[in-house]
Amino acid sequence: MTETDPTQIKGFDRARQAAARALTEDYVEMISDLAAEFGEARITDLAARLGVAHPTATKAVARLKREGLAISRPYRGVFLTEEGEALAETVRARHRVVVALLRAVGVPEEVAELDAEGIEHHVSSRTLAAFEAYLNRKTD
Amino acid sequence: MTETDPTQIKGFDRARQAAARALTEDYVEMISDLAAEFGEARITDLAARLGVAHPTATKAVARLKREGLAISRPYRGVFLTEEGEALAETVRARHRVVVALLRAVGVPEEVAELDAEGIEHHVSSRTLAAFEAYLNRKTD
DNA sequence: CCAAATTTGTAGCCAAAGCTACATTTCGCT
DNA sequence: AGCGAAATGTAGCTTTGGCTACAAATTTGG
Ligand SMILES: [Mn+2]
Ligand SMILES: [Mn+2]
Ligand SMILES: [Mn+2]
Ligand SMILES: [Mn+2]
């Protein structure tokens, strides 16, 4: 083979890392949402909203706790640490921008919401900045 | 909890399915690229370009064969079936549209290429259609 | 206040996708 | 032709993220 394009390898590597972070991001955002609505996030509610069995949610929460993003006691709700809440804010903001960008280029509301749930995790900070700039230009 | 928004669940489910397809899509596209360049795709080249160890590529190819997307004999190159080639075409086309859309809204070339590698797998056919329409409008 | 329903925890299974280490085959070159 | 290098295969380990089944705790309604 000839030389291998380093940009391409980097792209695949980036996609893999993003995929690895995706679960964490979605759980943290959801816990934050539930906390805002009900004051706390219950395992059952997390599982229901994410569409998984409850042991799957339990396992994910265990990882969040291990990573210092959440805390919880047995049979009680799950709460975000400061770090977790900060991440949630970032993720929520990015989610909104991605949906807005999709809407702005003509993607139907419903579809935009569905696709954004996956796309968001692969939008880098530089792409996000470009999206925001575009939306500002368009709004003015 | 109150009722659970079915759209949201659907979004997470869709993202999970897309993530599951992502590997297949990238491998098939890459095999097609290598076939165009060298006449065949070797395991070593696949591994090098995707940035993984060679047994990882071997395992992925085994799955493609299982799924009827590729064929190969021991110690020889990997080739796509008709179905595999068709998928490769679709994936390649979508990849190009995603990069073009990102560029069109102001994402720098290099960044667009990196992010597209992950984003592409979460772009549904309806969103793709919207992207194409937008690009056509903008070009005219 | 207690029994039933709900929620949560835990055990253990599976598949996917990565890795290293080592065996085998093929290729390139003298 | 044969030897060393390169490519490929294979074994086996790890982590992650799903799942079901069942046990234990908590909450609720009569
Ligand atoms: Mn998401
Ligand atoms: Mn989201
Ligand atoms: Mn890709
Ligand atoms: Mn691609």
Side-chain angles (χ1 to χ4, degrees):
Chain A
M1 196 181 59
T2 50
E3 3 63 59
T4 292
D5 178 6
T7 294
Q8 200 175 25
I9 297 181
K10 218 171 152 190
F12 291 120
D13 197 62
R14 187 121 120 194
R16 278 191 291 266
Q17 289 179 269
R21 272 193 309 268
L23 252 287
T24 294
E25 294 183 349
D26 285 337
Y27 271 90
V28 160
E29 187 182 359
M30 186 60 77
I31 292 169
S32 177
D33 287 350
L34 289 166
E37 276 185 67
F38 306 114
E40 64 177 353
R42 309 297 309 219
I43 287 286
T44 297
D45 297 343
L46 276 172
R49 293 220 180 170
L50 289 162
V52 297
H54 85 265
T56 301
T58 300
K59 206 175 279 190
V61 167
R63 209 187 60 235
L64 296 184
K65 291 170 74 171
R66 222 191 305 139
E67 291 169 352
L69 296 170
I71 54 173
S72 77
R73 296 189 347 263
Y75 295 96
R76 289 295 182 257
V78 181
F79 300 91
L80 294 176
T81 61
E82 272 194 32
E83 191 186 345
E85 193 53 59
L87 177 57
E89 280 309 319
T90 302
V91 171
R92 194 197 325 278
R94 192 189 52 197
H95 184 112
R96 276 198 293 253
V97 171
V98 170
V99 171
L101 188 283
L102 291 175
R103 299 284 295 112
V105 301
V107 178
E109 171 82 35
E110 175 105 343
V111 183
E113 199 55 60
L114 289 178
D115 286 15
E117 202 53 74
I119 291 173
E120 57 178 358
H121 308 287
H122 298 273
V123 170
S124 67
S125 61
R126 285 200 285 172
T127 292
L128 185 65
F131 283 4
E132 285 167 337
Y134 176 86
L135 290 168
N136 283 335
R137 275 201 306 280
K138 208 160 194 204
T139 301
D140 301 342
Chain B
M1 198 178 59
T2 48
E3 5 63 59
T4 291
D5 178 6
T7 295
Q8 199 173 24
I9 297 180
K10 217 171 153 191
F12 290 120
D13 196 62
R14 186 121 124 196
R16 278 191 292 265
Q17 289 178 266
R21 272 193 310 267
L23 251 288
T24 293
E25 294 184 348
D26 285 338
Y27 271 90
V28 161
E29 186 183 359
M30 186 61 77
I31 292 170
S32 177
D33 287 350
L34 290 167
E37 276 186 67
F38 307 115
E40 64 176 354
R42 308 297 310 220
I43 287 287
T44 297
D45 298 344
L46 276 171
R49 293 220 181 169
L50 289 161
V52 297
H54 86 266
T56 301
T58 301
K59 205 175 279 191
V61 167
R63 210 189 57 236
L64 296 185
K65 292 170 73 171
R66 221 192 305 139
E67 291 168 355
L69 296 170
I71 54 171
S72 76
R73 297 191 344 264
Y75 295 96
R76 289 295 183 260
V78 181
F79 300 90
L80 295 176
T81 61
E82 271 194 32
E83 192 188 342
E85 194 54 58
L87 176 57
E89 281 308 320
T90 302
V91 171
R92 195 198 323 280
R94 192 188 52 195
H95 184 113
R96 276 198 293 255
V97 171
V98 170
V99 171
L101 189 281
L102 291 175
R103 299 282 297 110
V105 301
V107 177
E109 171 83 36
E110 175 104 344
V111 182
E113 199 54 60
L114 290 178
D115 286 14
E117 202 53 75
I119 291 173
E120 56 178 356
H121 308 287
H122 298 273
V123 170
S124 67
S125 62
R126 285 200 286 173
T127 290
L128 185 65
F131 284 4
E132 285 167 337
Y134 176 85
L135 290 167
N136 283 336
R137 275 201 305 280
K138 207 162 194 199
T139 301
D140 300 341

